[in-house]
């Protein structure tokens, strides 16, 4: 009987933390695309902060901070692609043509670079767990990028439906 009491003793704390997390996610969802994107980036950075010591228990200091901040390379790659795309001619009224293709190619390259740099950085700087870092960090970044994409394409309802599907699955 005592084992059951200790097992459920922190249930109220867990419920309270779940309510707070749901409230933070809801505020990020209604905050708009920029707030949602920053939220997804922040969650990725927190996950990277936690992933570092799981891959290399002795990681700390500057290396742990730099690993946690590495997801910033994803939006930075997009920023560079947009900034360097300023010299491209505007796409035609139908969104097609050479300029539109060039913009899509730059964005595709930026996505690939932004998704690959943090896993590569961790694989180079960590002393152990390099493959674990590379695999998990890539999956975290793909998940974060997809949540931002889902919000941009389908809005709040699309993200909520996606979360419900994943939670039930």
């Amino acid at each position: 009987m005592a084992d059951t009491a200790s097992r459920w003793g922190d249930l109220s704390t867990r419920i309270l933390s779940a309510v707070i997390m749901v409230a933070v996610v809801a505020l990020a969802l209604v905050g708009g695309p920029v707030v949602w994107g920053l939220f997804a980036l922040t969650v990725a950075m927190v996950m990277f902060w936690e992933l570092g010591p799981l891959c290399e228990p002795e990681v700390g200091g500057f290396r742990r901070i730099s690993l946690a901040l590495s997801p910033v390379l994803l939006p930075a790659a997009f920023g560079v692609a947009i900034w360097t795309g300023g010299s491209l001619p505007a796409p035609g009224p139908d969104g097609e043509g050479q300029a539109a293709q060039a913009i899509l190619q730059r964005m595709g390259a930026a996505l690939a670079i932004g998704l690959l740099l943090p896993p590569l950085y961790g694989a180079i700087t960590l002393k152990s767990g390099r493959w674990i870092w590379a695999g998990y960090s890539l999956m975290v970044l793909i998940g974060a990028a997809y949540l931002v994409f889902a919000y941009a394409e389908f809005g709040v309802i699309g993200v909520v439906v996606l979360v419900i599907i994943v939670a039930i699955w």
Side-chain angles (χ1 to χ4, degrees), residues 38 40-42 44-45 48 65-80 114-115 117-118 141:
L38 290 173
L41 181 63
T42 303
M45 289 191 299
F48 275 37
I65 293 169
S66 66
L67 286 170
L69 293 176
S70 66
V72 173
L73 294 171
L74 181 57
F78 277 110
V80 169
L115 287 175
L117 283 179
L141 288 173

Side-chain angles (χ1 to χ4, degrees), residues 1-138:
M1 187 63 87
D3 184 37
T4 304
S6 66
R7 190 170 159 191
W8 297 100
D10 63 345
L11 183 61
S12 60
T13 305
R14 291 181 185 205
I15 290 172
L16 179 63
S17 69
V19 167
I20 291 171
M21 284 190 281
V22 167
V24 169
V25 171
L27 286 172
L29 275 172
V30 299
V34 173
V35 173
W36 179 251
L38 290 173
F39 174 75
L41 181 63
T42 303
V43 169
M45 289 191 299
V46 168
M47 291 178 79
F48 275 37
W49 174 263
E50 294 296 328
L51 182 60
L54 293 174
C55 294
E56 180 188 330
E58 304 85 31
V59 72
F62 175 76
R63 283 192 314 131
R64 186 170 183 192
I65 293 169
S66 66
L67 286 170
L69 293 176
S70 66
V72 173
L73 294 171
L74 181 57
F78 277 110
V80 169
I82 291 169
W83 179 61
T84 59
S87 62
L88 293 173
D94 57 356
E96 296 181 8
Q98 286 184 326
Q101 289 175 354
I103 291 169
L104 286 175
Q105 287 172 350
R106 273 200 192 159
M107 289 304 169
L111 180 62
I113 291 168
L115 287 175
L116 292 177
L117 283 179
L120 287 175
Y121 175 69
I124 291 169
T125 60
L126 289 171
K127 296 175 184 166
S128 63
R130 292 177 172 160
W131 287 107
I132 294 170
W133 172 272
Y136 276 98
S137 62
L138 182 61

